[in-house]
Amino acid sequence: MLDRRKFIQGLGATAFASATALLNPDRARAVLQTVAAHRGQARDLAADEDFWRRIQQAFTVDRSIINLNNGGVSPAPAIVQQAMKQHLDYSHKAPAYTMWRVLEPQQESVRSSLARCFDCSPEELALTRNASESMQILQNGIDLQPGDEVLATTHDYPRMLNTWKQRERRDGIVLRQFSLPIPAEDPQLIVDLYEQHISPRTRAILISHVVYLTGQIMPVRAVCALGRRKGIPVFVDGAHSLGHFTFTLADLDCEFFGSSLHKWLTAPHGTGMLYVRKERIGDIWPLQAAEESKDEDIRKFEEIGTHPAANTLAIAEAISFYRGIGPERKEERLRFLRNRWAERLKVSDRVRLHTSLKPGRSCAIATMQVEGIPSGALAKHLWKEHKILVVAIKHDDFEGIRVAPNVYTSLDEIDYFSETMERIIRNGID
Ligand SMILES: Cc1ncc(COP(=O)(O)O)c(C=O)c1O
């Protein structure tokens, strides 16, 4: 059995290597160059710990904590932190000049490079502060009349549901919701559920690309096609998808998409993006007013007053880190880490997986429940006794703990989590 003290000491050695990468960002760049030179197949590389150790060391995480909550927000690699600090230092030299006149115009190249990741035109991509802002631009920016209906599931993100609920109180619209099967194994069944709940008054559909409760990947393309057939705009909440697994605009064929960049793209905290198809820009009001000449300009969604340029510009460094790893390699590694614990623990007849492990239905995030142990108490125990960070999920339909490793997570950490869980399943948490 792995001794906890030895394990944490082992983590300390890795933390030291990470700290070295922070002190010497050139070293972190060298890591990326080595990675770029590596020509292995993504699947073969997923289990190659020597390869991934180099990526792990590009981060400055505290390895005395086993952070398996990378769904909420992710640490950024040292080079991203460093870029942000440099831009911030420069901003403060004479902000009215250095920040407004020098740095802010540079965000156009960030727009272009993010647009290349999503494979859309830069003229369709706005830089926002997070997915919440992106989605609220859409949800509050569309004209709706009293009695109009909007459709969502009970598994969408609470803030996005609250946005519709506020419009119910403010504008007299009606939010219709339905619940999803757990786990959701059959994409066609999900599309049918959306179709069944559309009424003649439905004016907008909200869909999560990845369900925050379970990590379930939703059939976004088919639901967007359904919306188009019925003339209903579909707002895709991609908070958890961009930078997590590989897809582009062509795969979704959507008109509206919002994401956070501080989750899976490992960009600075407080960064997000909004895609709006060119011909639909004029249909959405910005959250903060912009001049009329900008009605058809995607930049109207960025009219938020004075804000730091440093966060936005350092997105460029996060994109280069992401491309350096390679999106396919990242996706394969994340699935490998997820399968490593999920396949091991699901052998127990007391473990219920609430996430489908079928190809294409989930990636890094999965949610499990141990029958007989309340999930809130289990999450507290993991933290208090083992310094393992997971999220307790409590929903009307189910409960569980959500586990989300990232590229900096080591196999040791995953195995320590699995071993701890096996002991808890055997002995309980008292
Ligand atoms: C599905 C979904 N939408 C929106 C958000 C909001 O993201 P942020 O807090 O980065 O705005 C989250 C956050 O976890 C989420 O899971």
Side-chain angles (χ1 to χ4, degrees):
M1 190 191 294
L2 194 59
D3 172 77
R4 183 166 188 276
R5 201 151 51 86
K6 278 203 203 118
F7 178 77
I8 295 291
Q9 276 166 5
L11 295 180
T14 322
F16 174 75
S18 305
T20 318
L22 175 69
L23 292 175
N24 183 358
D26 286 346
R27 182 159 169 253
R29 284 209 175 79
V31 167
L32 278 187
Q33 280 160 8
T34 317
V35 171
H38 210 293
R39 303 220 177 276
Q41 290 294 312
R43 199 155 292 178
D44 299 339
L45 273 182
D48 182 344
E49 201 61 6
D50 288 340
F51 172 87
W52 289 97
R53 199 166 319 280
R54 293 161 197 267
I55 307 291
Q56 291 157 17
Q57 290 176 3
F59 288 79
T60 61
V61 294
D62 178 352
R63 298 248 176 217
S64 65
I65 291 170
I66 299 165
N67 182 0
L68 298 176
N69 177 10
N70 290 281
V73 63
S74 175
I79 47 170
V80 173
Q81 297 175 43
Q82 171 106 11
M84 188 175 145
K85 286 171 197 153
Q86 280 168 351
H87 292 310
L88 194 63
D89 284 350
Y90 182 68
S91 294
H92 281 276
K93 286 187 187 295
Y97 174 75
T98 51
M99 186 173 79
W100 278 349
R101 294 220 219 143
V102 180
L103 294 183
E104 266 190 19
Q106 284 176 210
Q107 81 174 28
E108 289 306 316
S109 72
V110 177
R111 186 192 313 283
S112 299
S113 104
L114 202 54
R116 282 200 298 281
C117 284
F118 193 55
D119 207 8
C120 68
S121 157
E123 294 305 315
E124 299 175 314
L125 192 145
L127 297 162
T128 62
R129 287 170 291 187
N130 45 48
S132 302
E133 183 176 41
S134 303
M135 296 312 296
Q136 287 187 59
I137 287 172
L138 300 172
Q139 295 177 268
N140 283 318
I142 186 175
D143 283 327
L144 292 171
Q145 306 307 320
D148 283 351
E149 290 179 11
V150 292
L151 184 59
T153 72
T154 58
H155 293 205
D156 288 306
Y157 194 63
R159 188 172 295 112
M160 279 43 267
L161 294 175
N162 283 335
T163 306
W164 286 139
K165 286 177 187 168
Q166 184 170 290
R167 287 208 73 173
E168 284 190 307
R169 300 197 296 281
R170 187 176 174 184
D171 300 321
I173 69 159
V174 179
L175 168 61
R176 297 258 175 249
Q177 283 175 274
F178 63 92
S179 122
L180 293 169
I182 296 286
E185 304 270 49
D186 177 1
Q188 188 54 49
L189 184 78
I190 299 175
V191 180
D192 292 346
L193 284 171
Y194 277 94
E195 183 149 22
Q196 284 158 23
H197 288 87
I198 289 174
S199 86
R201 300 288 325 241
T202 309
R203 297 288 176 267
I205 296 174
L206 169 70
I207 182 171
S208 299
H209 194 183
V210 176
V211 175
Y212 81 104
L213 299 162
T214 56
Q216 195 74 50
I217 301 176
M218 295 283 274
V220 164
R221 185 186 176 87
V223 172
C224 288
L226 169 68
R228 237 187 336 273
R229 273 203 312 281
K230 306 260 184 193
I232 304 167
V234 178
F235 297 158
V236 182
D237 178 350
H240 279 289
S241 58
L242 201 74
H244 181 175
F245 47 89
T246 51
F247 67 93
T248 62
L249 174 61
D251 296 306
L252 305 185
D253 199 11
C254 61
E255 295 178 313
F256 308 93
F257 176 93
S259 187
S260 291
L261 305 178
H262 46 227
K263 294 183 190 285
W264 295 96
L265 197 69
T266 68
H269 303 156
T271 53
M273 62 80 90
L274 170 67
Y275 163 81
V276 181
R277 190 168 282 180
K278 187 80 188 138
E279 44 298 1
R280 304 309 299 266
I281 294 172
D283 298 344
I284 305 289
W285 294 98
L287 273 187
Q288 294 193 25
E291 59 194 45
E292 194 176 355
S293 63
K294 284 197 170 165
D295 275 355
E296 307 290 330
D297 185 343
I298 193 78
R299 292 165 191 77
K300 73 180 178 183
F301 300 121
E302 295 168 1
E303 290 282 336
I304 57 165
T306 303
H307 57 283
N311 307 31
T312 311
L313 294 194
I315 296 170
E317 216 48 79
I319 294 173
S320 108
F321 184 77
Y322 174 61
R323 286 193 182 280
I325 296 176
E328 290 81 11
R329 289 179 195 160
K330 178 170 180 178
E331 177 174 346
E332 288 295 340
R333 170 68 173 182
L334 293 177
R335 280 222 176 86
F336 172 78
L337 292 177
R338 192 269 326 263
N339 285 342
R340 179 101 170 177
W341 69 263
E343 301 282 1
R344 179 169 166 180
L345 296 182
K346 79 174 193 195
V347 170
S348 163
D349 57 9
R350 287 180 55 209
V351 168
R352 289 183 56 192
L353 267 185
H354 296 314
T355 309
S356 169
L357 302 185
K358 284 186 176 168
R361 303 265 50 88
S362 62
C363 190
I365 308 172
T367 298
M368 64 168 280
Q369 180 183 0
V370 181
E371 271 166 16
I373 304 183
S375 303
L378 174 55
K380 270 196 196 128
H381 173 87
L382 285 170
W383 175 247
K384 192 159 168 268
E385 301 299 328
H386 304 281
K387 292 293 163 266
I388 296 174
L389 195 59
V390 296
V391 186
I393 300 286
K394 184 115 185 82
H395 189 270
D396 288 348
D397 298 343
F398 68 103
E399 64 165 65
I401 55 166
R402 190 185 76 179
V403 181
N406 204 335
V407 286
Y408 67 81
T409 309
S410 71
L411 274 193
D412 275 351
E413 289 168 314
I414 288 288
D415 289 347
Y416 180 65
F417 166 70
S418 303
E419 192 175 301
T420 305
M421 286 301 298
E422 281 173 346
R423 240 188 347 259
I424 288 172
I425 293 164
R426 259 194 325 270
N427 305 331
I429 53 173
D430 299 327

